[in-house]
Amino acid sequence: MRTNGLQKPLNTMQIGTWFLLPLLLLQFSFFVSPLLPIAASIPCTLLVFLCGFFTAYYGYKCCITDPMDERLRCHLEGREYDNTNNNNTNNNGENEEDQRTKFCWVCSIEVNHLSMHCKFCDKCVSRFDHHCQWLNTCVGEANYEYFFRTVGWTLLLVVVRAAVLLGLIIAYFVQYADGDDVDDGKVEERANRWFDTDAGLAVAIVDILFLAVDLICTSLLLQLFLFHVQLRKENITTYAYIVRDGQRKREAAAKKMELERRRITAVRDAEREGNLVRKWRLQMGGVPFVGEKICWCCDPLRSESGDGGKNGNKKGNVVN
């Protein structure tokens, strides 16, 4: 049973982050900061390293914080679970939400109904969100806030880096295209003086490669950050979202199968009645994409049922 993300076996993706974060900071220190004017170099460098520090700090806190279910923890430590320490208690001094339990057949103990057993960590996690491969630990109630802040600071880090790199690269090629003699105010001259050689183009190529890395990371992290902002707004976990999304897809698939069954019957009825227009409308409504997105208003079945071509898009119940 794993108690934190720093216990062996370590994850390949986790080890990758240990190299990537220092690499991004070192690249900024040697290939970006010296090339900026002093008025921009100091604040940009401080901001990048501040983001790097908080990324590492909150990532570390998320890794070492054990999100184990409290009932399981008490069971392993050989003490009774105290249910009177919870807030929002009823007249009997018990938190009604917290007292709902379920039996975990792996841990062989009653755990909170929101807890889930993680096969990677081999334990039940309180308010299980997901198992993070990058941090090599489960994310639950105890360390979710650390995880969210890690994502936020990492996103800010790559955004700041990408913005500075983009401005530096644009300045380099604009100055290079001018064709004037190199002077102290130009990016290329600062690069040549920093590396004590004609390194302007090589530095620009390195910066372009790292800009591509930053843009890719920004795209992925922004999606992840916005996804968790939405989860927090709805007060659900990643696991609950996946369950809800799967339920919606199953309901949509069942509804679609029922619609197609009705369509086959309706086409036969239209043929028997000699109503060729209705038959054609039914057949067009059954064409993938065309019937759902383009000709849904002409489909007799969708018009009669009032679906309006929006099957499966109704918001389902929130699963906590």
Side-chain angles (χ1 to χ4, degrees):
M1 180 181 296
R2 296 166 53 86
T3 58
N4 61 70
L6 299 180
Q7 284 185 324
K8 296 181 179 180
L10 300 177
N11 188 288
T12 304
M13 297 169 66
Q14 176 191 28
I15 297 175
T17 61
W18 296 351
F19 287 97
L20 181 60
L21 180 58
L23 180 63
L24 293 178
L25 297 178
L26 287 174
Q27 187 273 337
F28 194 90
S29 299
F30 288 97
F31 289 86
V32 181
S33 182
L35 277 61
L36 295 171
I38 191 66
S41 177
I42 294 177
C44 288
T45 303
L46 289 176
L47 181 57
V48 166
F49 274 82
L50 180 68
C51 293
F53 169 78
F54 280 112
T55 296
Y57 173 75
Y58 285 120
Y60 174 74
K61 292 290 289 185
C62 184
C63 281
I64 65 171
T65 302
D66 187 4
M68 181 187 297
D69 179 269
E70 191 60 29
R71 286 178 172 81
L72 176 59
R73 190 192 308 277
C74 292
H75 172 73
L76 295 176
E77 294 176 357
R79 56 187 175 88
E80 291 292 328
Y81 173 72
D82 185 5
N83 55 30
T84 61
N85 292 330
N86 303 298
N87 297 323
N88 303 320
T89 57
N90 58 19
N91 294 332
N92 296 324
E94 295 179 344
N95 186 307
E96 295 180 354
E97 178 70 12
D98 188 71
Q99 296 315 303
R100 293 168 55 190
T101 62
K102 63 183 179 182
F103 187 79
C104 176
W105 295 97
V106 181
C107 297
S108 300
I109 190 176
E110 293 283 341
V111 296
N112 188 277
H113 73 287
L114 294 179
S115 298
M116 293 296 299
H117 190 90
C118 176
K119 65 179 181 180
F120 298 102
C121 297
D122 191 28
K123 65 183 179 185
C124 281
V125 176
S126 178
R127 193 173 169 81
F128 177 81
D129 189 87
H130 70 286
H131 182 89
C132 181
Q133 298 287 354
W134 296 101
L135 297 175
N136 196 30
T137 188
C138 280
V139 177
E141 185 175 20
N143 61 350
Y144 177 81
E145 194 64 32
Y146 292 136
F147 168 80
F148 183 74
R149 293 180 184 182
T150 301
V151 174
W153 280 104
T154 307
L155 174 61
L156 183 59
L157 170 65
V158 294
V159 167
V160 172
R161 277 181 44 85
V164 175
L165 279 171
L166 183 61
L168 190 65
I169 292 169
I170 291 175
Y172 172 82
F173 283 104
V174 168
Q175 294 170 1
Y176 183 81
D178 288 343
D180 297 334
D181 293 335
V182 175
D183 56 58
D184 290 344
K186 288 193 172 183
V187 175
E188 184 177 5
E189 173 58 21
R190 287 195 289 267
N192 293 341
R193 284 191 287 106
W194 173 252
F195 289 99
D196 196 23
T197 184
D198 187 9
L201 183 59
V203 171
I205 293 175
V206 171
D207 287 344
I208 290 173
L209 293 176
F210 275 88
L211 175 61
V213 173
D214 286 334
L215 292 176
I216 293 173
C217 292
T218 298
S219 175
L220 297 175
L221 286 168
L222 182 60
Q223 294 180 58
L224 180 62
F225 183 76
L226 293 178
F227 173 69
H228 278 277
V229 168
Q230 183 62 31
L231 292 181
R232 289 163 69 93
K233 184 178 179 181
E234 297 184 32
N235 193 29
I236 63 174
T237 63
T238 300
Y239 178 80
Y241 173 86
I242 294 173
V243 171
R244 186 182 69 180
D245 187 59
Q247 181 180 356
R248 288 178 177 178
K249 290 179 178 178
R250 288 190 297 270
E251 291 175 353
K255 195 170 184 179
K256 186 175 182 179
M257 290 178 62
E258 175 61 20
L259 182 65
E260 292 308 310
R261 186 192 64 78
R262 290 171 52 203
R263 187 181 308 281
I264 293 173
T265 303
V267 169
R268 290 174 180 172
D269 293 342
E271 285 181 344
R272 187 168 54 252
E273 296 170 0
N275 192 337
L276 299 181
V277 175
R278 180 177 174 81
K279 176 184 176 182
W280 177 81
R281 291 173 61 194
L282 287 166
Q283 290 175 335
M284 287 300 297
V287 177
F289 183 77
V290 176
E292 297 176 358
K293 305 297 182 181
I294 301 177
C295 299
W296 60 266
C297 58
C298 301
D299 184 5
L301 295 182
R302 288 190 171 90
S303 300
E304 293 167 1
S305 62
D307 286 345
K310 298 179 180 179
N311 284 337
N313 289 336
K314 296 180 179 179
K315 192 170 184 178
N317 296 328
V318 173
V319 180
N320 288 319

